[in-house]
Amino acid sequence: MSAEPDHAELVDELLAGKHRALARTITKIENRAPGYRNLVSQLHQHTGNAEVIGITGSPGAGKSTLVDKMANYYRERGETVGVIAVDPSSPFTGGAVLGDRIRMASNVGDMEVFFRSMSARGTLGGLSTATTDAVKALDAFGKDKIIIETVGAGQNEIDIVKSADTVAVLVPPGSGDDVQMLKAGILEIGDVFVVNKADLKGADRTVQELREMVHMQEDNTANLATGHHGAGAIPDDENDDSDADAEVDEPESWEPAIVETIAKDGEGVEELIETLTAHHDYLETSGLLEDKERMRYAEEIRNLLRDDVGNLLEAEIERRGGMDELVAGVVARETDPYTVADDIIDPIEDCMDQLGDRDE
Amino acid sequence: MSADSEQQSIRCLVAKVGLDGHDRGAHVIARAFRDAGFEVIYSGLHNAPDEIVQAAVQEDVNVLGISILSGAHNTLVPKIIDGLKEYDAFEDTLVLVGGVVPDDDKAELKEMGVAEVFGPGTPMEETIEFVRENAPER
């Protein structure tokens, strides 16, 4: 639409490396400001170069402290870092205190670490829908590594797999008995498990329990992984820059790694980062990275369409006198929810059918 | 095309700058802002001016609330304002100061670009109202 700003200037400034423009872009994304979709569209062609790492785990697991140390480590290697830290928002007022920035002590004054706090703004799953778009902004800006730190929500916080290449799950020592390890959810999504605060009592047991859990998972998938050297031997069509011949005996399935850290002292951070890098290499050589990307975009397109169709339906509901009107009929037993839904969707379906006929 | 509902939210950075270690007031204001529906980023204690600037720029806050009780406002606040200008962030950031500030200094701070100074005993509603009315749009 011509009424919407196209943000060309903002995009130019962002691509030119202006921090202010990057910050403002993320704000527009968060606010769903007019024209924000166009803005993200323009960024898309400049993305695809960053490695995206998700850090999740229960509240108090030490995510922020670990992220700080990781960012610092990457910086010492000369890489630039973007961090998005999501914190919960109040279900009553929408307000939020975003407190993770406090723990970024190692990177204070270093503008090459772009740290951005985001409020979950009411989304379930602990990951704001805007987070993925904000990652794109950081990617287009040229950050080498992007770390997403989720809300410390809990057991079902699995949205992060949709946004990150590699997911690290922080498991503090003594976090429940071995039944917790059997449960579905967050423990299924970890590519790397980090037993942080490894100096605390119970850390050994937690590591042991995770190890058992990982091995059970491995047995589960053992049937799926066929042939030991087969998959690696198939030449990938577009493996351009990665020297595939250097690592021929790459394992074709990834066994989730378990790393012990003491984030506050920076202990184990190096090993963690090596493990994360190993996972990323695995994703690249196995072709899974590309698969993930495809899945991610498919999901994104579906989400956008769901939003758009939802909006179309809202407009249609308004045209028919609004939701209150429709509900009144249902309450009075004159009609029922299924019939109302059919009434609204039928004409749209007809339209689609007609379009389909025309195309054929 | 789309009719995504806009979700403007007032973002505030509550910052403790300098050496004073009294952050009760900053905590209280952070909580009050949260309850008013703002998104509050709390900086923690003992921040240097350039840390505050970095945070304000990266977080793209509409409002920067600086809490100072040490009396060092005359040296610290100008540094923050200069930093914001350096990143083109001064124009659309509402800069507030909270704490113990003598009247003479108050006038000087305002001349510098601080929108308002809230002394001890200011009712919370007054500060919140001021933010609601004056926070620059994003």
Side-chain angles (χ1 to χ4, degrees):
Chain A
M1 265 196 201
S2 54
E4 285 187 346
D6 70 348
H7 299 309
E9 196 183 334
L10 191 60
V11 172
D12 286 345
E13 284 184 3
L14 182 148
L15 295 174
K18 278 196 76 178
H19 289 92
R20 185 75 180 149
L22 173 57
R24 183 56 50 89
T25 299
I26 297 177
T27 305
K28 291 203 181 295
I29 287 168
E30 270 198 296
N31 288 345
R32 313 268 197 283
Y36 91 95
R37 279 189 170 199
N38 191 357
L39 178 56
V40 182
S41 302
Q42 291 179 67
L43 294 175
H44 179 79
Q45 57 172 308
H46 303 283
T47 62
N49 301 312
E51 190 179 322
V52 185
I53 299 155
I55 305 283
T56 184
S58 52
K63 294 185 291 294
S64 306
T65 311
L66 190 64
V67 167
D68 176 43
K69 293 296 191 304
M70 285 169 65
N72 193 239
Y73 191 90
Y74 285 131
R75 285 299 295 137
E76 277 174 9
R77 288 205 317 206
E79 290 164 307
T80 57
V81 184
V83 180
I84 295 172
V86 188
D87 260 327
S89 53
S90 160
F92 305 111
T93 63
V97 171
L98 311 171
D100 290 336
R101 204 181 174 98
I102 291 184
R103 299 177 185 94
M104 292 305 288
S106 313
N107 300 286
V108 142
D110 178 7
M111 265 303 209
E112 296 305 314
V113 177
F114 192 98
F115 185 100
R116 179 65 178 240
S117 314
M118 278 180 115
S119 146
R121 299 211 179 169
T123 33
L124 293 170
L127 206 64
S128 161
T129 40
T131 308
T132 318
D133 286 338
V135 167
K136 286 183 194 170
L138 288 167
D139 191 346
F141 187 80
K143 292 297 179 194
D144 300 314
K145 309 281 175 185
I146 297 168
I147 307 174
I148 309 170
E149 182 195 329
T150 70
V151 171
Q155 291 173 312
N156 210 23
E157 196 191 20
I158 53 176
D159 269 6
I160 186 72
V161 278
K162 291 177 195 156
S163 309
D165 302 326
T166 300
V167 175
V169 178
L170 264 67
V171 186
S175 51
D177 57 22
D178 45 4
V179 178
Q180 297 295 350
M181 300 283 175
L182 301 177
K183 288 188 180 174
I186 195 167
L187 290 176
E188 286 179 290
I189 63 167
D191 301 306
V192 179
F193 291 102
V194 185
V195 179
N196 190 30
K197 307 190 181 180
D199 51 338
L200 291 187
K201 224 177 78 187
D204 292 348
R205 217 188 105 207
T206 303
V207 170
Q208 188 55 37
E209 281 168 357
L210 280 170
R211 202 163 280 150
E212 280 168 26
M213 183 198 72
V214 166
H215 284 155
M216 277 167 78
Q217 260 177 11
E218 206 191 356
D219 291 344
N220 244 345
T221 53
N223 299 334
L224 301 173
T226 53
H228 211 74
H229 289 283
I234 298 167
D236 227 322
D237 40 2
E238 48 205 344
N239 248 353
D240 34 32
D241 52 347
S242 64
D243 41 340
D245 48 357
E247 292 274 327
V248 185
D249 51 352
E250 194 72 31
E252 69 267 21
S253 75
W254 174 263
E255 175 181 328
I258 300 162
V259 182
E260 291 179 68
T261 58
I262 306 170
K264 66 177 163 60
D265 303 334
E267 234 169 274
V269 172
E270 185 174 351
E271 195 196 341
L272 170 63
I273 286 190
E274 279 166 10
T275 310
L276 294 171
T277 307
H279 183 254
H280 199 264
D281 290 347
Y282 158 74
L283 288 178
E284 257 180 358
T285 47
S286 63
L288 278 174
L289 194 64
E290 218 185 301
D291 292 353
K292 273 192 175 208
E293 194 182 17
R294 282 171 193 279
M295 256 158 47
R296 202 174 290 160
Y297 287 137
E299 181 76 5
E300 200 181 330
I301 293 168
R302 286 205 181 89
N303 275 338
L304 286 173
L305 288 174
R306 259 194 290 270
D307 271 9
D308 289 347
V309 173
N311 288 329
L312 284 176
L313 287 175
E314 283 300 326
E316 185 59 22
I317 289 166
E318 280 311 307
R319 215 176 355 254
R320 287 164 187 253
M323 191 47 99
D324 287 349
E325 185 84 0
L326 298 173
V327 167
V330 173
V331 171
R333 301 295 183 278
E334 286 159 7
T335 181
D336 65 289
Y338 284 93
T339 309
V340 172
D342 281 346
D343 284 350
I344 293 173
I345 209 80
D346 276 347
I348 297 173
E349 224 176 324
D350 288 346
C351 283
M352 299 300 285
D353 283 348
Q354 276 168 21
L355 280 175
D357 290 344
R358 187 200 58 187
D359 284 349
E360 273 160 25
Chain B
M1 275 299 286
S2 67
D4 303 55
S5 50
E6 248 191 273
Q7 304 187 349
Q8 273 269 16
S9 184
I10 296 179
R11 285 168 71 87
C12 311
L13 175 64
V14 173
K16 286 291 308 177
V17 65
L19 294 175
D20 88 85
H22 301 277
D23 58 353
R24 178 70 60 86
H27 283 188
V28 170
I29 199 83
R31 171 65 194 261
F33 278 179
R34 188 201 88 182
D35 289 343
F38 305 164
E39 289 180 1
V40 187
I41 293 120
Y42 179 52
S43 76
L45 282 171
H46 307 311
N47 294 141
D50 60 336
E51 292 171 38
I52 304 294
V53 170
Q54 182 185 13
V57 170
Q58 293 186 346
E59 302 287 358
D60 194 22
V61 290
N62 327 52
V63 182
L64 167 58
I66 307 165
S67 161
I68 304 186
L69 300 168
S70 64
H73 44 264
N74 285 340
T75 46
L76 295 171
V77 174
K79 284 184 187 163
I80 294 174
I81 287 178
D82 287 348
L84 289 176
K85 283 178 179 161
E86 194 185 316
Y87 285 99
D88 302 326
F90 175 68
E91 246 90 274
D92 54 4
T93 306
L94 183 73
V95 181
L96 306 175
V97 170
V100 187
V101 178
D103 283 344
D104 287 356
D105 294 354
K106 227 181 241 184
E108 209 172 304
L109 287 177
K110 281 191 171 178
E111 209 157 289
M112 225 175 268
V114 172
E116 193 53 86
V117 179
F118 296 102
T122 310
M124 207 59 80
E125 298 79 50
E126 198 183 311
T127 313
I128 289 169
E129 217 30 62
F130 187 86
V131 168
R132 282 225 172 92
E133 275 165 23
N134 297 290
E137 292 245 333
R138 280 289 175 272

